[in-house]
Amino acid sequence: MPTTELEVTIASLGHLGDGVAETPTGEVFVPFVLPGERVRIQPTGEGRAELLGIVTPSASRVAAPCRHFRQCGGCALQHVEAKAYAEWKREQVVAALKPRGIEVEVDSIVPAAPRSRRRATFSATRTKKGVTLGYYSRSSHTIIQLTECPLVVPEIEAALQSLAHLVEPGLSRKGHASVAVTATETGLDVAVTGGKDVDGPLRAELAKRTSAHDLARLVWNGEMISERRAPVVTLSGLKVAPPPGSFLQATADGEAALVRLVVEAVGDARRVADLFAGCGTFTAGLAKRSSVFAVESEKPQTAALDRAIREQGPGLGLKPVEILMRDLFRRPILPSELLKTDAVVFDPPRAGAAAQAEQLAKSAVPLVIGVSCNPATFARDARTLIDGGYRLTRVTPVDQFLWSPHIELVGIFRRE
């Protein structure tokens, strides 16, 4: 393994937020640096290097707001001033579109605020001294014990010790458990995987601790341990009780921005297809002015949305909503099913919507709106739509993943 200390200048930031520098043996990636900085590094092999010190700092460098930064692997960019950070994120969208030959003006980023993440996944393990709960350190399986986290909403940050106590009886010293936490309007919704198998005594103890910490729900290895209150979130005025493991946008402000962009683009369209609808992130917002055909592959999510629409839709004055459970990866909606549709909204997982984009490209729908948390797969699907006769008229990045390289976006396509 190389051992020579080097002094280098950082040329740029890569797509994961690490700095890129040239060395006598080739290009290396260096964490926690900024373009133009002169730094001391220790090459570690495989094109990576450890940062030893800053010789000449960038004017865009700021003090990190979290004491765990650089040890914890949860954030990569806390050292970047807000304006430079926002422009770098915007450029990641531009860079993803360019290889596909897509040229479009990309809007300024809609920013994310600290302490706004309403869902987070921690790792936990049992030790001789108790429980270690936190995020993995960079490029390792060592868990960094968290005492604070400026990413998450105060309800989650305040519960870190309670979460460690909650999971303690179900952990072993031989493995790590995953602790997914969502802050809802009725309390924290916790789902643990990778813990001990549940038997009678463990189930009773976990239920007791769920009550002691006033959690809304605890699911352990897929088994419901306790639901003291149904977790509830409000989606454009519609109160929905998401089932365990269902998708929810990372921040409430980010969700509101996405919904605003989508609803404004749809305008007065009479009928809208909401594909990959989940529990209804966009459904209720769209249904305030349009009839909606909502399609989702997960039955528990369609059931939760259907129940909320039936119970609250009339009181909210929503237009008719038709809900269909269907796997859009295997059975995408066909052009013949969209003949009376004025607009389509699709919000797929990170893998994108290759099969559905192919069918949309063959359709006559005048307006298609793509929402994505992965600019690379969005660019692939956008190329398919453009080749099918659509024009990408606008792209707006929305930051929900503060201090990370991840970015959400909304793209608007109009048929030529």
Side-chain angles (χ1 to χ4, degrees):
M1 181 178 293
T3 58
T4 304
E5 179 181 318
L6 300 173
E7 187 174 303
V8 298
T9 298
I10 303 302
S12 61
L13 292 188
H15 73 282
L16 294 180
D18 288 343
V20 182
E22 287 292 337
T23 74
T25 57
E27 191 176 77
V28 296
F29 290 92
V30 187
F32 315 125
V33 294
L34 291 171
E37 289 188 325
R38 191 74 178 167
V39 300
R40 292 185 297 108
I41 64 170
Q42 177 74 63
T44 57
E46 299 182 351
R48 310 292 304 177
E50 177 186 355
L51 175 65
L52 300 179
I54 308 293
V55 178
T56 307
S58 165
S60 296
R61 176 172 287 276
V62 296
C66 178
R67 72 181 71 179
H68 302 298
F69 183 59
R70 291 187 61 168
Q71 284 76 46
C72 169
C75 293
L77 295 155
Q78 286 193 12
H79 60 296
V80 188
E81 179 270 331
K83 184 177 179 181
Y85 164 85
E87 183 55 30
W88 177 80
K89 276 212 162 177
R90 177 187 172 278
E91 284 300 318
Q92 300 317 295
V93 177
V94 175
L97 296 173
K98 188 175 181 180
R100 300 282 180 176
I102 301 173
E103 294 185 5
V104 61
E105 182 61 32
V106 176
D107 293 344
S108 298
I109 191 171
V110 178
R115 292 187 163 80
S116 63
R117 285 286 298 270
R118 59 183 174 185
R119 57 178 176 83
T121 300
F122 305 105
S123 295
T125 191
R126 196 165 185 170
T127 67
K128 290 182 179 180
K129 296 182 179 180
V131 172
T132 299
L133 182 141
Y135 299 123
Y136 287 121
S137 63
R138 285 177 59 90
S139 304
S140 84
H141 290 289
T142 300
I143 300 173
I144 302 300
Q145 178 77 53
L146 291 186
T147 57
E148 64 180 46
C149 180
L151 283 175
V152 299
V153 294
E155 300 95 305
I156 295 179
E157 185 179 49
L160 289 172
Q161 289 187 350
S162 297
L163 291 168
H165 179 260
L166 168 75
V167 301
E168 181 267 336
L171 300 180
S172 73
R173 292 170 60 183
K174 295 181 179 179
H176 293 174
S178 175
V179 184
V181 186
T182 302
T184 76
E185 295 166 25
T186 53
L188 297 185
D189 181 16
V190 181
V192 179
T193 56
K196 293 179 181 178
D197 292 338
V198 176
D199 56 17
L202 178 56
R203 183 182 295 104
E205 182 61 24
L206 290 172
K208 177 181 175 182
R209 296 189 184 204
T210 301
S211 178
H213 296 299
D214 194 29
L215 304 181
R217 177 168 65 192
L218 173 63
V219 175
W220 191 279
N221 289 344
E223 179 181 338
M224 180 73 72
I225 301 299
S226 175
E227 186 173 89
R228 302 175 63 248
R229 299 178 296 277
V232 171
V233 295
T234 300
L235 304 174
S236 298
L238 184 73
K239 292 187 177 296
V240 180
S246 59
F247 175 78
L248 184 68
Q249 293 290 341
T251 72
D253 288 346
E255 178 186 275
L258 293 172
V259 172
R260 173 180 57 78
L261 289 164
V262 167
V263 170
E264 286 178 357
V266 166
D268 295 325
R270 296 182 61 186
R271 178 173 169 80
V272 181
D274 181 9
L275 309 183
F276 305 94
C279 288
T281 300
F282 301 104
T283 307
L286 293 168
K288 291 178 180 180
R289 291 195 289 185
S290 311
S291 63
V292 179
F293 174 44
V295 186
E296 167 58 41
S297 64
E298 298 295 327
K299 185 175 181 179
Q301 295 189 60
T302 59
L305 176 58
D306 180 66
R307 182 167 55 251
I309 290 291
R310 284 189 288 103
E311 293 176 354
Q312 303 165 52
L316 294 173
L318 300 184
K319 302 288 186 180
V321 176
E322 176 188 355
I323 300 171
L324 174 66
M325 185 185 72
R326 180 155 149 184
D327 186 340
L328 295 174
F329 294 105
R330 296 184 177 184
R331 294 180 57 224
I333 299 297
L334 302 175
S336 59
E337 299 173 274
L338 297 171
L339 294 178
K340 297 182 180 180
T341 301
D342 302 303
V344 170
V345 178
F346 70 103
D347 181 17
R350 286 188 61 81
Q356 186 59 73
E358 289 179 4
Q359 297 303 319
L360 290 174
K362 300 174 185 176
S363 78
V365 178
L367 174 67
V368 173
I369 303 167
V371 182
S372 174
C373 61
N374 186 343
T377 56
F378 171 83
R380 180 201 64 203
D381 297 342
R383 183 73 261 171
T384 299
L385 290 170
I386 293 167
D387 290 345
Y390 284 91
R391 181 168 59 94
L392 179 58
T393 62
R394 183 181 181 187
V395 173
T396 306
V398 177
D399 195 7
Q400 296 199 81
F401 309 101
L402 186 62
W403 300 318
S404 87
H406 302 297
I407 186 71
E408 196 102 10
L409 62 84
V410 175
I412 301 172
F413 301 85
R414 300 186 186 277
R415 181 159 286 288
E416 297 278 35

